[in-house]
Amino acid sequence: GQQLNQSPQSMFIQEGEDVSMNCTSSSIFNTWLWYKQDPGEGPVLLIALYKAGELTSNGRLTAQFGITRKDSFLNISASIPSDVGIYFCAGQQNTGNQFYFGTGTSLTVIP
Amino acid sequence: GAVVSQHPSRVICKSGTSVKIECRSLDFQATTMFWYRQFPKKSLMLMATSNEGSKATYEQGVEKDKFLINHASLTLSTLTVTSAHPEDSSFYICSAHRLAGTDTQYFGPGTRLTVL
């Protein structure tokens, strides 16, 4: 199946710093989703993007649907310790079809 | 946001027994649910797509006789791990596909299976 390339694989940052991660694909996607997973929990939906070029915020999180439809970005501003976790992107090519997931970005915030 | 529940959250069983995991969409109907397996510090591995009223679609390498999936209603899908062995120990997560104008996928909290 499709595999989305997510980078970076892991990040170690100081509290207060901004974070940026991205997801790329060789195929065009019509929907991008971003999730956060805490240890021992299921992924929680953070932001959903449905339109090329769309920029959507959720608190300190901002995600963008790339204009080429082959990538998406997630930014976290002023990171705090509770931002620690694994962030996954997911892309869908056509409505009703399955979502494909990125390999995840592990974020560690150092107080 | 939409809520998906999963039961049990943890299960420990003896080798050779079968374990059933339930996935429910609590506030929306899901014609499609997905079952994933996740190893420590790894991404989600799709096992199968569960379709209400029809047979599940299994990913390559996943034994359908080993992992039985039943999607009996628009809000419930079950995964049964038959004759479980220690190598089946893992974190199993379900998700429900919500199609309401736009597509979104919501995950359950996961089930930690330990086979002794």
Side-chain angles (χ1 to χ4, degrees):
Chain A
Q2 289 275 356
Q3 184 73 62
L4 302 182
N5 299 310
Q6 191 171 341
S7 65
Q9 186 175 4
S10 62
M11 302 180 74
F12 293 82
I13 62 167
Q14 290 288 141
E15 182 177 358
E17 289 184 353
D18 296 342
V19 173
S20 184
M21 60 189 78
N22 69 78
C23 208
T24 61
S25 169
S26 58
S27 302
I28 288 174
F29 286 91
N30 289 322
T31 299
W32 287 95
L33 307 177
W34 283 93
Y35 294 87
K36 179 185 180 228
Q37 185 178 28
D38 291 326
E41 303 287 335
V44 174
L45 182 65
L46 299 174
I47 294 178
L49 302 162
Y50 299 105
K51 189 176 177 181
E54 180 180 359
L55 186 71
T56 299
S57 294
N58 178 4
R60 293 178 296 105
L61 278 63
T62 302
Q64 182 161 26
F65 192 141
I67 199 72
T68 65
R69 296 189 176 188
K70 294 183 178 182
D71 56 13
S72 180
F73 304 86
L74 176 69
N75 296 311
I76 305 173
S77 63
S79 59
I80 59 178
S82 62
D83 290 333
V84 166
I86 301 179
Y87 292 78
F88 290 102
C89 63
Q92 183 193 47
Q93 292 180 295
N94 297 297
T95 300
N97 288 8
Q98 72 175 87
F99 283 89
Y100 297 97
F101 284 83
T103 48
T105 295
S106 175
L107 176 64
T108 301
V109 179
I110 303 167
Chain B
V3 179
V4 176
S5 71
Q6 211 172 316
H7 178 80
S9 57
R10 295 175 186 273
V11 57
I12 301 173
C13 69
K14 292 183 179 180
S15 187
T17 60
S18 294
V19 175
K20 181 188 281 189
I21 304 171
E22 291 186 350
C23 180
R24 294 180 185 271
S25 56
L26 299 184
D27 53 356
F28 66 99
Q29 293 182 330
T31 54
T32 305
M33 291 184 174
F34 300 94
W35 287 95
Y36 295 85
R37 185 172 179 176
Q38 188 177 35
F39 293 100
K41 298 185 180 181
K42 295 293 184 182
S43 186
L44 302 160
M45 185 188 81
L46 179 64
M47 298 174 65
T49 301
S50 171
N51 301 297
E52 187 269 336
S54 64
K55 292 182 179 180
T57 304
Y58 290 82
E59 295 299 300
Q60 191 173 7
V62 178
E63 299 176 59
K64 61 181 180 181
D65 295 330
K66 172 81 173 170
F67 300 99
L68 300 178
I69 290 173
N70 187 320
H71 195 150
S73 75
L74 289 172
T75 59
L76 172 65
S77 175
T78 60
L79 168 69
T80 301
V81 183
T82 62
S83 188
H85 288 97
E87 57 264 32
D88 297 325
S89 298
S90 193
F91 192 52
Y92 292 88
I93 312 175
C94 72
S95 70
H97 198 157
R98 182 180 187 183
L99 180 56
T102 53
D103 263 1
T104 316
Q105 190 169 339
Y106 294 94
F107 284 89
T111 297
R112 171 70 61 192
L113 171 63
T114 303
V115 184
L116 302 177

